[in-house]
Amino acid sequence: MKVTLSALDTTETFFKPLVIIELAQDVKEETRKWLEKKINDKKKNGGAQLLIRPLVENGEEQTSESKNLYLIGASTIRLLLGAESVGLVKECNDHTMRVFTYETRQNFSGFSDDNDDFLTMAECQFIIKHELENLRARDEKMIPGYPQAKLYPGKSILRRLLTSGLVTQVFPLHDKESLKKLESTWYNRFKMKYQPLDGIRAYFGETIALYFGFLEYFTLALIPMALIGLPYYVFDWEDYDKYVIFASFNLIWSTVILEVWKRGCALMTYRWGTLLMKRQFEEPRPGFHGVLGINPITGREEPLYSSFKRQLRIYLVSLPFVCLCLYFSLYVMMIYFDLETWAQDVHHDSNYPELTSFLLFLPSIVYAIVIEIMNRLYRFAAEFLTSWENHRLESAYQNHLILKVLVFNFLNCFASLFYIAFVMKDMKLLRQSLATLLITSQILNQIVETLLPYWLQRKYGLRVKKKVQALKADVDVTLYEQIILEKDMGTYLGTFDDYLELFLQFGYVSLFSCVYPLAAAFAVLNNFSEINSDALKMCKIFKRPFAEPSSNIGVWQLAFETMSVISVVTNCALIGMSPQLNAVFPDSKIDLILMVVAVEHALLALKFVLAFVIPDKPQEIQVKLAKLEFESLEALKQQHIKLVAESLKEELKEEEKKAA
Amino acid sequence: MKVTLSALDTTETFFKPLVIIELAQDVKEETRKWLEKKINDKKKNGGAQLLIRPLVENGEEQTSESKNLYLIGASTIRLLLGAESVGLVKECNDHTMRVFTYETRQNFSGFSDDNDDFLTMAECQFIIKHELENLRARDEKMIPGYPQAKLYPGKSILRRLLTSGLVTQVFPLHDKESLKKLESTWYNRFKMKYQPLDGIRAYFGETIALYFGFLEYFTLALIPMALIGLPYYVFDWEDYDKYVIFASFNLIWSTVILEVWKRGCALMTYRWGTLLMKRQFEEPRPGFHGVLGINPITGREEPLYSSFKRQLRIYLVSLPFVCLCLYFSLYVMMIYFDLETWAQDVHHDSNYPELTSFLLFLPSIVYAIVIEIMNRLYRFAAEFLTSWENHRLESAYQNHLILKVLVFNFLNCFASLFYIAFVMKDMKLLRQSLATLLITSQILNQIVETLLPYWLQRKYGLRVKKKVQALKADVDVTLYEQIILEKDMGTYLGTFDDYLELFLQFGYVSLFSCVYPLAAAFAVLNNFSEINSDALKMCKIFKRPFAEPSSNIGVWQLAFETMSVISVVTNCALIGMSPQLNAVFPDSKIDLILMVVAVEHALLALKFVLAFVIPDKPQEIQVKLAKLEFESLEALKQQHIKLVAESLKEELKEEEKKAA
């Protein structure tokens, strides 16, 4: 059992590298040694008990590039014990999912002592990240060699190293072989089939697998809408009753698919174990600062920041600022419409229509550019503001940032459409703008997001290959090349932008669906290629991201549900305004409006009832969860019955002694 | 330490009786002995290890009334161990709330070995009820002496005894002394002060204390609405802007008070320990039946009933039936309005107006009687149907019953008002009907619900007293009298009707608030007397109910929130229809309607944002809960670090052995 031995001999140099740490260029030798010791040291001495090795061990062969790179790995036992400490949930031999413990390891399916595949590589890397982040200061008052990088008991050492810039990055390595396997079943296919979600999860972790799962589910769910929308385009249907049918179907459908997704998501995450995984106690996010004080929850000394002050910042600064930005965005939109009419007037009155015809395009182009600039500036401002709000937890920071960005992007994308629909009441222009916006944004996204970085990455890759080949050393050239290549790859910043894109697409499809039934078809086409380009992006362009366990798509579920509520309102309004329907009620516009409002309310009520009636978890999962709960209650009860018997016996003995 | 000794000597006859079991008149001696033994027997022998004694021990002095009554009690230790098994949460010496365990008992505030007051009497009775219900069959195939009363391993014996009619009732005893103390601070007061909610909770348990807490909170919350409504009545304000202000205030206010209640409720139930109490695994309700099979959750053999069949019954029978009833109720209402116009026509055209004037009252009287009859019939049908749906859990049964009854009562109470408001558009009649309905229903309720039973109860009490005095025996006459008296008192059927009354009142106050601002004032007046009459009802008229732990008002929170959403719609519609507002927009009714719809949507959106932004638990409670969670995670982590060290050490030894 070679593996087990190496677990104990933590200085052994042969191990499978899982994670890379890159130090800053000029870190002092003293700090290097201290960090190496910390990572290698026994748990009881405050270390992480992991394996660490510099990329190139021979001092003479180290280049300035390679000498700051360290490989981190761990023995199999260490990983199994780590799996217990992060609370990993795995499948047992009896096909139930249970929290993994080292003691009960033999009960888990696929486990045997000489099997290294029990934990997926993504899980191993997640465990190592968790152990590194949980490497905490004991008596150290500072990072050795850097008195300004202060520590206090319980502070995460890695986080301090990252915030003080001594560690530039920590990232997990790709596994070229598994990656190739994954790629071949994922996007290098010509046949239509489902994505290998379990494979994606094993390689990239649950958060990313859930994104791809949602993308695929959403695309499939759009197909019925696209199919029903097609004849409207083909036969040029304009009857109001057909529009009403289409819109009603759309609204009910969008509610149903969002509810059904929750169920599918529960099924998937149960199988992956994250549905049962307990949330770990969240650490303060790296950027959080405050006055040292006693945390009322942990009882430890750590930076504190009054939540009242944070509320003040949110409601007195951020909220007004966001409102101002929204107002400004609307103002710019109004200028655009003014410009548009001005250009049309000029063109109309012009004596040289050939010269002025280009003027017709000018406002749209300028507006598109301005919107892009505003979006970027606002994103920057939102990040600054949310960071300034000084949230203690990363999750709170993310939620506040998402909310800010969502609201602004929603307005930026849809305000002009709302204006055309409800102020100008020009359905033809609405349809045209909607088509233009949807299609151009999809094409642009595909290019900017994937193809461009892919091309740049390939160019860079070739350069590195040449450089490595020039280097004649007896180091492990493939690994060396891989690491040098990966360390300069871009970092995947999370699923935020991908979900945002999908969210806006959902808006284009559902908000004005009764005006432009073809939108769903375009969305479906785009998403099929989006799946491939996003997959390419994950596999080729970015550094491998750390796996993040998650049991649902979080705040995005709420965002999509809100969008589907708003789309009930807009679609009812559009149908109410349609000339076809108005022709049916020529004399009684009031009755028409009242009827539309009544239908809208009924649809909204129906939506809420549907959301309430459809259970969030399938029966099957409910039974499995109840079974687990029942078992733990039973165990407690058994333990209790024993205790009752023992306690009463002891009391009896005591009484007898006293009596004697 | 006398108490401890008695715990072991379970045959000791001196103990404080807590719970009474009444057997049927003709239960066989064999069954009596078996049940007595089961209750008295040691836990390890499958008993409940409680103390049991017939009310009158001397066989000759037993009357037919008293010989079927048994007193149940328990030793202090037994109760403490029971408190652990039901998962009671108590305050510790460091002012945190923790799950009570017998081992750590010294950490809890107010505990000492010779203190019997650590557990409240309601808690003791709840524990005894729990232990009795958890008395389960082992190998018995039937109740001894009654072959038709079948048992299977794990079946609750008490439930089988109750369903087969061998035990007629199990109820907790009143504690006359504490009750007197409670009454003096609760309703025998002339000064205005808050209710002694902690005292109510200690005596009646959390569910009832929460009802009184909610009643009080709701009454206080209505006071601002009542105060703002008064000048509208006094000065006869009719300006539309004032109505708009009143209605808007009302709508925002009702959202805020419902959200704030959740916070107050969390504060209270944290203090009472039920916020932290884990839900016990729910047993099938007594009426549940099915084919014996293996329960997939517990793995035990017990009656099963397919959830698909239940769904079929719900959607194919119950739902259509409820819809039919609703339709019928509307139909009756239409007949009432026809009768009303007929009566007025007859009176108008009559030559003898003195004779026909009584005709004017006839429709209202008939309709009121018919509504009452329909309500009772429907309640009966709803109970039958819900029982026929064969829900496995009592909570599911309750929720389905509440939903059915709520919808029908809502329609019965408010349909005529909706008809007057939105079809007849007669605001004067609406105001008049609203006032009549609100005031008469309140007065009727107070009489039927409290004063009548109180009067009957007093008469009965005097009769029992005489009978007991006639009986010349050396039994404990006060206890004997108390038990004979209490066993024939009515059973309090839960808070359902009390909440329903409050819910309908909330409807009267909020649905048409802008038409009749005085409603809140009447509601406040009624509720002040309702608090007293409900308190009287609990203390004097009904048997003491078993305490039921609960951490919130459950489905009623949702019901009240739904009502406040509906009231936004109705109030906006009423304001839109008001002649004052229509006078402002004489020419553009369409603009008016659109404006009203826009305002309504904005108000609804604001409601949802408010509900989202106001946290459900106060900061203080959040911190306390987080602290508990953190502590348990820390404990796990410490345990884990030890395990890592030990496991690695053991592996090392094994390896060394192998190497040697």
Side-chain angles (χ1 to χ4, degrees):
Chain A
M1 274 166 67
K2 192 171 158 295
V3 187
T4 335
L5 260 174
S6 76
L8 302 159
D9 182 10
T10 43
T11 54
E12 180 164 3
T13 46
F14 175 79
F15 64 88
K16 189 180 175 191
L18 290 165
V19 172
I20 306 295
I21 289 189
E22 188 182 14
L23 300 187
Q25 209 54 258
D26 50 355
V27 170
K28 293 185 184 152
E29 200 55 31
E30 166 188 13
T31 316
R32 278 171 198 272
K33 287 279 166 259
W34 172 75
L35 181 63
E36 275 187 49
K37 183 167 183 314
K38 267 279 174 190
I39 290 175
N40 210 323
D41 214 350
K42 295 235 165 72
K43 201 107 192 175
K44 60 174 180 186
N45 301 334
Q49 214 158 349
L50 299 171
L51 309 173
I52 180 168
R53 203 189 77 185
L55 173 58
V56 180
E57 269 187 277
N58 193 327
E60 286 167 29
E61 279 162 6
Q62 284 178 350
T63 61
S64 68
E65 209 165 21
S66 64
K67 79 166 188 195
N68 293 306
L69 292 166
Y70 288 86
L71 316 178
I72 313 270
S75 67
T76 311
I77 303 183
R78 183 69 195 82
L79 287 172
L80 290 176
L81 290 166
E84 177 172 345
S85 107
V86 298
L88 225 58
V89 174
K90 286 279 202 178
E91 196 187 3
C92 283
N93 287 324
D94 59 352
H95 301 294
T96 57
M97 304 296 299
R98 276 164 212 280
V99 177
F100 177 80
T101 64
Y102 185 71
E103 241 181 317
T104 57
R105 62 192 181 279
Q106 300 293 355
N107 299 344
F108 287 82
S109 78
F111 184 89
S112 72
D113 276 325
D114 49 356
N115 178 7
D116 288 357
D117 293 345
F118 177 66
L119 298 174
T120 67
M121 187 168 169
E123 280 167 347
C124 294
Q125 289 167 335
F126 174 70
I127 290 164
I128 288 189
K129 176 182 166 230
H130 176 261
E131 295 294 340
L132 285 176
E133 282 184 344
N134 270 292
L135 200 55
R136 287 167 195 291
R138 285 189 163 180
D139 325 312
E140 296 97 332
K141 290 272 171 275
M142 48 164 221
I143 305 257
Y146 295 89
Q148 76 282 12
K150 291 213 169 58
L151 291 174
Y152 47 87
K155 172 75 189 173
S156 162
I157 288 170
L158 187 70
R159 284 181 179 232
R160 174 55 80 231
L161 285 168
L162 280 164
T163 49
S164 58
L166 296 172
V167 165
T168 50
Q169 59 176 343
V170 181
F171 64 93
L173 268 184
H174 268 299
D175 176 354
K176 291 204 155 178
E177 219 169 293
S178 328
L179 187 61
K180 231 171 231 160
K181 255 189 232 159
L182 179 65
E183 282 177 300
S184 69
T185 53
W186 194 2
Y187 66 92
N188 287 339
R189 320 162 277 165
F190 294 96
K191 280 184 290 184
M192 290 288 278
K193 50 178 177 174
Y194 292 114
Q195 293 177 92
L197 287 180
D198 288 334
I200 299 172
R201 177 248 165 183
Y203 197 86
F204 287 111
E206 288 80 14
T207 304
I208 288 167
L210 273 182
Y211 165 68
F212 281 101
F214 183 69
L215 177 57
E216 183 177 78
Y217 171 83
F218 185 66
T219 308
L220 295 178
L222 281 180
I223 289 179
M225 268 160 86
L227 289 181
I228 295 182
L230 274 181
Y232 285 81
Y233 177 75
V234 176
F235 303 115
D236 229 353
W237 286 346
E238 290 278 346
D239 318 318
Y240 90 95
D241 52 348
K242 295 215 179 74
Y243 272 102
V244 170
I245 291 171
F246 182 69
S248 313
F249 168 76
N250 249 5
L251 300 175
I252 305 302
W253 186 242
S254 66
T255 310
V256 171
I257 60 173
L258 288 174
E259 286 301 313
V260 171
W261 162 252
K262 273 194 230 163
R263 294 164 64 89
C265 181
L267 264 174
M268 259 194 303
T269 52
Y270 175 80
R271 200 175 61 224
W272 294 344
T274 45
L275 189 66
L276 290 169
M277 206 164 163
K278 287 256 161 51
R279 211 167 47 84
Q280 295 281 318
F281 189 78
E282 263 188 287
E283 294 288 316
R285 60 187 296 268
F288 178 70
H289 56 85
V291 185
L292 269 191
I294 303 294
N295 181 333
I297 295 169
T298 59
R300 291 182 191 149
E301 199 177 37
E302 65 170 51
L304 295 181
Y305 188 74
S306 122
S307 110
F308 177 69
K309 270 194 206 164
R310 186 178 306 126
Q311 299 282 339
L312 279 186
R313 286 185 173 186
I314 292 176
Y315 288 109
L316 295 186
V317 180
S318 296
L319 188 65
F321 176 79
V322 170
C323 292
L324 209 76
C325 286
L326 295 179
Y327 175 78
F328 185 71
S329 154
L330 288 180
Y331 194 77
V332 168
M333 185 195 75
M334 296 310 298
I335 293 176
Y336 158 66
F337 281 111
D338 285 350
L339 267 181
E340 188 87 47
T341 35
W342 170 80
Q344 258 158 8
D345 289 350
V346 168
H347 178 65
H348 202 256
D349 304 340
S350 165
N351 301 322
Y352 312 98
E354 308 81 36
L355 276 176
T356 52
S357 69
F358 94 98
L359 256 181
L360 285 179
F361 293 97
L362 197 63
S364 296
I365 296 171
V366 171
Y367 186 53
I369 295 172
V370 169
I371 275 194
E372 196 52 38
I373 294 174
M374 285 202 304
N375 259 342
R376 276 168 201 275
L377 282 180
Y378 179 80
R379 181 73 169 268
F380 185 76
E383 275 170 16
F384 174 79
L385 267 181
T386 317
S387 164
W388 176 74
E389 282 162 21
N390 201 11
H391 294 278
R392 189 173 167 273
L393 301 180
E394 184 64 28
S395 59
Y397 171 85
Q398 286 295 341
N399 285 344
H400 277 87
L401 182 61
I402 288 180
L403 188 67
K404 283 196 190 73
V405 175
L406 263 194
V407 171
F408 190 76
N409 269 279
F410 181 85
L411 206 79
N412 247 352
C413 279
F414 300 119
S416 63
L417 296 177
F418 274 95
Y419 187 81
I420 295 171
F422 300 113
V423 181
M424 295 167 69
K425 299 190 180 175
D426 184 343
M427 290 306 130
K428 220 169 162 183
L429 182 61
L430 176 62
R431 195 171 303 175
Q432 192 187 314
S433 310
L434 190 59
T436 319
L437 271 173
L438 178 66
I439 297 167
T440 51
S441 78
Q442 289 184 344
I443 293 174
L444 269 178
N445 261 325
Q446 300 261 354
I447 294 174
V448 172
E449 208 182 64
T450 314
L451 296 180
L452 197 67
Y454 181 62
W455 180 70
L456 289 173
Q457 182 62 30
R458 276 193 72 149
K459 262 184 69 179
Y460 174 77
L462 288 176
R463 227 183 319 138
V464 168
K465 218 166 202 148
K466 269 183 203 155
K467 218 161 79 182
V468 171
Q469 277 163 353
L471 197 105
K472 276 175 188 158
D474 56 2
V475 290
D476 182 347
V477 178
T478 17
L479 182 66
Y480 182 80
E481 182 191 328
Q482 188 194 346
I483 291 169
I484 297 291
L485 199 60
E486 284 182 18
K487 92 179 173 67
D488 288 327
M489 276 174 151
T491 305
Y492 180 64
L493 293 172
T495 48
F496 181 85
D497 286 298
D498 296 319
Y499 276 116
L500 183 62
E501 203 184 315
L502 219 53
F503 173 75
L504 295 177
Q505 187 194 66
F506 184 54
Y508 287 123
V509 171
S510 63
L511 283 179
F512 307 98
S513 61
C514 62
V515 172
Y516 190 53
L518 213 58
F522 278 111
V524 169
L525 282 182
N526 173 70
N527 287 0
F528 275 120
S529 94
E530 176 92 20
I531 289 176
N532 286 328
S533 64
D534 278 353
L536 182 76
K537 186 173 81 176
M538 291 310 307
C539 297
K540 293 279 188 204
I541 298 173
F542 288 120
K543 265 189 210 94
R544 182 176 191 171
F546 275 111
E548 238 0 283
S550 62
S551 60
N552 52 51
I553 60 172
V555 69
W556 292 103
Q557 182 83 35
L558 188 68
F560 275 79
E561 281 167 10
T562 309
M563 180 71 95
S564 88
V565 169
I566 296 173
S567 69
V568 171
V569 181
T570 53
N571 277 297
C572 285
L574 283 177
I575 289 176
M577 278 161 42
S578 71
Q580 294 85 14
L581 191 59
N582 277 276
V584 179
F585 295 82
D587 306 321
S588 51
K589 263 204 111 174
I590 292 177
D591 285 356
L592 170 64
I593 294 177
L594 290 179
M595 205 191 70
V596 169
V597 170
V599 169
E600 185 225 340
H601 280 75
L603 278 173
L604 283 177
L606 182 64
K607 267 180 82 73
F608 281 102
V609 170
L610 269 179
F612 191 76
V613 167
I614 300 176
D616 282 0
K617 293 190 184 102
Q619 175 94 23
E620 179 194 348
I621 300 294
Q622 283 177 34
V623 167
K624 281 176 176 165
L625 293 180
K627 194 173 171 183
L628 278 180
E629 204 193 322
F630 172 76
E631 277 175 12
S632 77
L633 282 174
E634 273 305 281
L636 266 179
K637 213 182 276 173
Q638 286 310 320
Q639 205 182 328
H640 180 71
I641 288 177
K642 253 189 223 163
L643 189 74
V644 173
E646 278 166 24
S647 303
L648 288 177
K649 222 182 271 172
E650 262 171 46
E651 293 278 338
L652 180 62
K653 272 183 200 160
E654 227 166 82
E655 292 301 320
E656 276 172 358
K657 258 186 215 167
K658 270 185 197 169
Chain B
M1 272 166 69
K2 190 170 159 298
V3 187
T4 336
L5 259 174
S6 75
L8 302 159
D9 181 9
T10 42
T11 53
E12 179 161 6
T13 46
F14 175 78
F15 64 88
K16 190 181 174 190
L18 290 165
V19 172
I20 307 295
I21 289 189
E22 189 183 11
L23 299 188
Q25 208 57 258
D26 50 355
V27 170
K28 293 185 185 151
E29 200 55 30
E30 164 189 17
T31 317
R32 276 170 201 272
K33 287 279 166 259
W34 173 75
L35 181 63
E36 272 187 54
K37 183 167 182 316
K38 266 280 174 190
I39 289 175
N40 210 323
D41 213 352
K42 294 236 167 69
K43 200 102 194 178
K44 60 175 181 189
N45 302 334
Q49 214 159 350
L50 298 171
L51 308 174
I52 181 166
R53 205 189 76 186
L55 173 56
V56 181
E57 272 187 274
N58 193 327
E60 288 168 29
E61 279 162 4
Q62 283 178 351
T63 61
S64 66
E65 206 166 24
S66 64
K67 79 165 189 198
N68 293 307
L69 291 165
Y70 288 86
L71 314 178
I72 312 271
S75 68
T76 311
I77 302 182
R78 182 70 195 83
L79 288 172
L80 290 175
L81 290 166
E84 178 173 344
S85 106
V86 297
L88 225 57
V89 174
K90 285 280 202 178
E91 196 187 3
C92 283
N93 288 322
D94 59 351
H95 301 294
T96 57
M97 304 297 298
R98 275 164 213 280
V99 177
F100 178 80
T101 65
Y102 186 71
E103 240 182 316
T104 56
R105 62 193 184 278
Q106 300 294 352
N107 299 343
F108 286 82
S109 78
F111 184 89
S112 71
D113 276 325
D114 48 356
N115 179 7
D116 288 357
D117 294 344
F118 177 65
L119 298 174
T120 67
M121 187 168 169
E123 279 167 347
C124 294
Q125 289 167 334
F126 175 69
I127 290 164
I128 288 189
K129 176 183 166 225
H130 177 262
E131 295 294 338
L132 285 176
E133 282 184 344
N134 270 292
L135 200 56
R136 286 168 195 293
R138 285 191 164 179
D139 325 312
E140 296 98 333
K141 291 268 171 275
M142 49 162 219
I143 304 257
Y146 295 89
Q148 78 282 14
K150 292 213 169 58
L151 290 174
Y152 47 87
K155 172 74 188 173
S156 163
I157 288 171
L158 188 70
R159 283 180 180 235
R160 174 56 78 232
L161 286 168
L162 280 165
T163 49
S164 58
L166 297 172
V167 165
T168 49
Q169 60 176 345
V170 180
F171 64 93
L173 270 183
H174 267 299
D175 177 354
K176 290 205 156 178
E177 218 170 293
S178 325
L179 186 62
K180 229 171 232 162
K181 254 190 231 159
L182 180 64
E183 282 177 298
S184 71
T185 53
W186 194 1
Y187 66 92
N188 287 339
R189 318 161 280 163
F190 294 97
K191 280 185 291 181
M192 292 287 278
K193 50 179 176 173
Y194 292 114
Q195 292 177 92
L197 288 180
D198 288 332
I200 299 172
R201 175 246 164 186
Y203 196 86
F204 288 110
E206 289 80 14
T207 304
I208 288 167
L210 272 182
Y211 164 69
F212 281 101
F214 183 69
L215 176 58
E216 181 177 81
Y217 171 83
F218 184 66
T219 309
L220 294 178
L222 281 180
I223 288 179
M225 268 160 87
L227 288 181
I228 295 181
L230 274 182
Y232 285 80
Y233 177 75
V234 176
F235 302 117
D236 229 354
W237 286 346
E238 291 276 346
D239 318 320
Y240 90 94
D241 52 349
K242 294 215 178 74
Y243 273 101
V244 170
I245 290 172
F246 183 70
S248 315
F249 168 76
N250 250 5
L251 301 174
I252 304 303
W253 186 243
S254 65
T255 311
V256 171
I257 60 173
L258 288 174
E259 287 299 313
V260 171
W261 162 254
K262 273 193 228 162
R263 295 163 63 89
C265 181
L267 263 174
M268 259 194 303
T269 52
Y270 175 79
R271 198 174 63 224
W272 294 343
T274 44
L275 188 66
L276 290 170
M277 206 163 163
K278 288 256 161 53
R279 212 167 46 81
Q280 295 280 320
F281 189 78
E282 263 188 286
E283 294 288 317
R285 58 186 299 266
F288 177 71
H289 56 87
V291 185
L292 269 191
I294 303 294
N295 180 332
I297 295 169
T298 60
R300 290 184 192 148
E301 197 176 39
E302 65 169 49
L304 294 181
Y305 187 75
S306 120
S307 110
F308 176 69
K309 271 196 207 161
R310 186 179 305 125
Q311 299 282 337
L312 279 187
R313 287 184 173 189
I314 292 175
Y315 288 110
L316 295 187
V317 180
S318 295
L319 188 64
F321 176 79
V322 170
C323 292
L324 209 76
C325 286
L326 295 179
Y327 175 78
F328 184 71
S329 153
L330 287 180
Y331 193 77
V332 168
M333 185 193 77
M334 295 311 298
I335 293 176
Y336 157 65
F337 280 111
D338 285 350
L339 267 181
E340 186 88 46
T341 36
W342 170 78
Q344 257 158 10
D345 288 350
V346 169
H347 178 64
H348 202 255
D349 303 341
S350 163
N351 300 324
Y352 312 96
E354 306 82 36
L355 277 176
T356 51
S357 69
F358 95 99
L359 258 180
L360 286 178
F361 293 98
L362 197 65
S364 296
I365 295 170
V366 171
Y367 185 52
I369 295 172
V370 170
I371 276 195
E372 196 53 37
I373 294 173
M374 287 202 303
N375 259 340
R376 275 168 203 274
L377 283 179
Y378 179 80
R379 181 71 169 267
F380 185 75
E383 274 169 17
F384 175 79
L385 268 180
T386 317
S387 167
W388 178 73
E389 281 162 22
N390 202 10
H391 293 278
R392 187 171 168 275
L393 301 181
E394 183 64 28
S395 59
Y397 172 84
Q398 285 295 340
N399 286 342
H400 277 87
L401 181 62
I402 289 180
L403 189 66
K404 284 196 191 73
V405 175
L406 262 194
V407 170
F408 189 76
N409 269 280
F410 182 85
L411 206 78
N412 247 353
C413 278
F414 299 120
S416 64
L417 295 177
F418 274 96
Y419 188 81
I420 294 171
F422 299 114
V423 181
M424 295 166 70
K425 297 189 181 175
D426 184 342
M427 291 306 130
K428 220 167 162 184
L429 183 60
L430 176 62
R431 195 172 304 175
Q432 194 188 314
S433 312
L434 189 60
T436 319
L437 271 173
L438 177 66
I439 296 168
T440 51
S441 78
Q442 288 185 345
I443 292 174
L444 269 178
N445 262 325
Q446 299 263 351
I447 293 173
V448 172
E449 206 182 68
T450 313
L451 295 180
L452 197 68
Y454 180 60
W455 180 70
L456 289 174
Q457 181 61 31
R458 274 190 72 149
K459 262 183 70 181
Y460 174 75
L462 288 174
R463 228 181 321 138
V464 168
K465 218 166 200 143
K466 270 183 204 151
K467 216 161 79 181
V468 171
Q469 276 164 354
L471 196 104
K472 275 175 193 162
D474 57 1
V475 291
D476 182 346
V477 178
T478 18
L479 182 66
Y480 182 78
E481 181 192 330
Q482 188 193 346
I483 292 170
I484 297 289
L485 198 61
E486 283 183 19
K487 92 178 174 64
D488 287 329
M489 277 175 151
T491 305
Y492 180 64
L493 293 171
T495 47
F496 181 85
D497 286 297
D498 295 320
Y499 276 116
L500 182 63
E501 201 185 315
L502 220 52
F503 173 75
L504 295 176
Q505 186 193 66
F506 184 55
Y508 286 124
V509 171
S510 64
L511 283 179
F512 308 99
S513 63
C514 62
V515 172
Y516 190 54
L518 214 57
F522 279 111
V524 169
L525 282 182
N526 174 71
N527 288 359
F528 274 120
S529 92
E530 177 92 20
I531 290 176
N532 285 328
S533 64
D534 279 352
L536 182 76
K537 187 172 79 177
M538 291 310 307
C539 297
K540 292 279 188 205
I541 299 173
F542 287 121
K543 265 189 210 93
R544 184 178 190 168
F546 275 110
E548 242 352 287
S550 63
S551 61
N552 53 52
I553 60 172
V555 70
W556 292 102
Q557 182 83 37
L558 188 68
F560 275 79
E561 280 167 10
T562 309
M563 181 70 96
S564 90
V565 169
I566 297 174
S567 70
V568 171
V569 181
T570 54
N571 277 296
C572 285
L574 283 177
I575 289 177
M577 279 161 44
S578 72
Q580 294 85 16
L581 191 58
N582 277 277
V584 178
F585 295 82
D587 307 320
S588 50
K589 262 204 114 173
I590 294 177
D591 285 356
L592 170 64
I593 294 176
L594 290 179
M595 204 190 71
V596 169
V597 171
V599 168
E600 186 225 340
H601 280 75
L603 278 173
L604 283 177
L606 182 63
K607 267 181 82 72
F608 281 101
V609 170
L610 269 179
F612 191 76
V613 166
I614 300 176
D616 282 0
K617 293 191 183 98
Q619 175 92 24
E620 180 195 345
I621 300 295
Q622 282 177 34
V623 167
K624 281 175 176 165
L625 294 179
K627 195 175 170 180
L628 278 180
E629 205 193 320
F630 173 76
E631 276 174 13
S632 76
L633 283 174
E634 273 305 283
L636 267 179
K637 213 182 278 172
Q638 286 309 319
Q639 204 183 327
H640 180 71
I641 288 177
K642 255 189 222 162
L643 189 75
V644 172
E646 277 166 23
S647 304
L648 288 177
K649 223 182 270 172
E650 261 169 46
E651 292 279 337
L652 181 62
K653 272 183 200 159
E654 226 166 85
E655 292 300 320
E656 275 172 358
K657 259 185 214 163
K658 272 186 196 168

